[in-house]
Amino acid sequence: LYNAYQTKERMIAIAIHEYFQRYLSQIPFSGEVGTLQRNVERMIFMVQRDLQLRNYISAIMSLYFSPDAGPSIWNTMHKMTAEAHLQWILPLKAKRQLQPWVEPYALADDIVRTSYAALNDWCRGRIGDDEVVLHVVRTFLTIAAGATRGAARKEVEEMLLRFHTEGVPMPDLPVRVKRRS
């Protein structure tokens, strides 16, 4: 095992990444890659899944926020989520639909940190099960509204208003994960 992974932290990081990728591959997205719709759907599905795995997510968040966690664990957890956001952010930069002061990689990093902070608060009981999906999505959309301009900002604001008035649509989870009753 040591020859294959070098450290136990690297082995844990790879296990986390493989689980994440396997789950993502089961999500029945309706939005196209690189769209706001796809990004929000991914967040909704992931947080719904997290609701089923509180102990696992609590352990993951403890690792992410621990000053003693090995860099491979933190980097893996951060990168796998940041990359998903970058699929939406980088095309906006190319279309000049980000505010001029917004750096795409820093924006993705900030979105990851705020999403994980909300999940950490949920794990600690500071955000309720019935509030966490809306909290994560609303926070993302609020950050996105401030970072975008033009048609992208209009799309973000419309989605934010729709979630504010109608709530977050809760799609069915992929088959292998049971919905909490």
Side-chain angles (χ1 to χ4, degrees), residues 5-6 32 40 45 50 62-63 89 91 99 108 116-117 120 124 138 143 162:
Y5 298 105
Q6 291 79 44
E32 296 294 320
V40 169
F45 275 113
D50 295 348
S62 292
L63 285 172
I89 295 168
Q99 296 289 354
Y116 283 179
N120 191 52
R124 305 289 177 273
R138 184 180 54 228
I143 292 169
R162 193 168 57 248

Side-chain angles (χ1 to χ4, degrees), residues 89-163:
I89 295 168
L90 290 174
L92 292 179
K93 176 74 172 176
K95 294 186 267 184
R96 298 176 178 241
Q97 294 201 2
L98 289 179
Q99 296 289 354
W101 57 83
V102 173
E103 196 284 312
Y105 292 92
L107 175 59
D109 289 345
D110 290 342
I111 292 168
V112 172
R113 283 192 276 277
T114 57
S115 296
Y116 283 179
L119 287 175
N120 191 52
D121 281 351
W122 167 73
C123 289
R124 305 289 177 273
R126 297 179 194 126
I127 298 174
D129 289 3
D130 57 336
E131 301 168 0
V132 68
V133 174
L134 179 59
H135 185 86
V136 169
V137 172
R138 184 180 54 228
T139 300
F140 161 71
L141 290 172
T142 301
I143 292 169
T148 55
R149 62 186 185 173
R153 183 176 181 137
K154 183 178 181 192
E155 181 184 22
V156 169
E157 288 176 346
E158 287 171 356
M159 189 174 284
L160 191 53
L161 182 60
R162 193 168 57 248
F163 286 171

Side-chain angles (χ1 to χ4, degrees), residues 13 63-66 69-79 113:
L63 285 172
Y64 182 82
F65 287 106
S66 170
S72 59
I73 294 173
W74 189 93
N75 288 333
T76 296
M77 291 173 59
H78 193 84
K79 184 179 176 185
R113 283 192 276 277

Side-chain angles (χ1 to χ4, degrees), residues 53-71:
L53 306 168
R54 187 181 212 113
N55 291 337
Y56 173 77
I57 299 305
S58 183
I60 296 296
M61 290 301 104
S62 292
L63 285 172
Y64 182 82
F65 287 106
S66 170
D68 300 324

Side-chain angles (χ1 to χ4, degrees), residues 1-18 63 69-77 79:
L1 285 174
Y2 183 78
N3 287 335
Y5 298 105
Q6 291 79 44
T7 68
K8 71 178 179 180
E9 287 82 12
R10 185 158 160 67
M11 186 171 68
I12 292 168
I14 290 169
I16 291 168
H17 185 261
E18 286 180 3
L63 285 172
S72 59
I73 294 173
W74 189 93
N75 288 333
T76 296
M77 291 173 59
K79 184 179 176 185

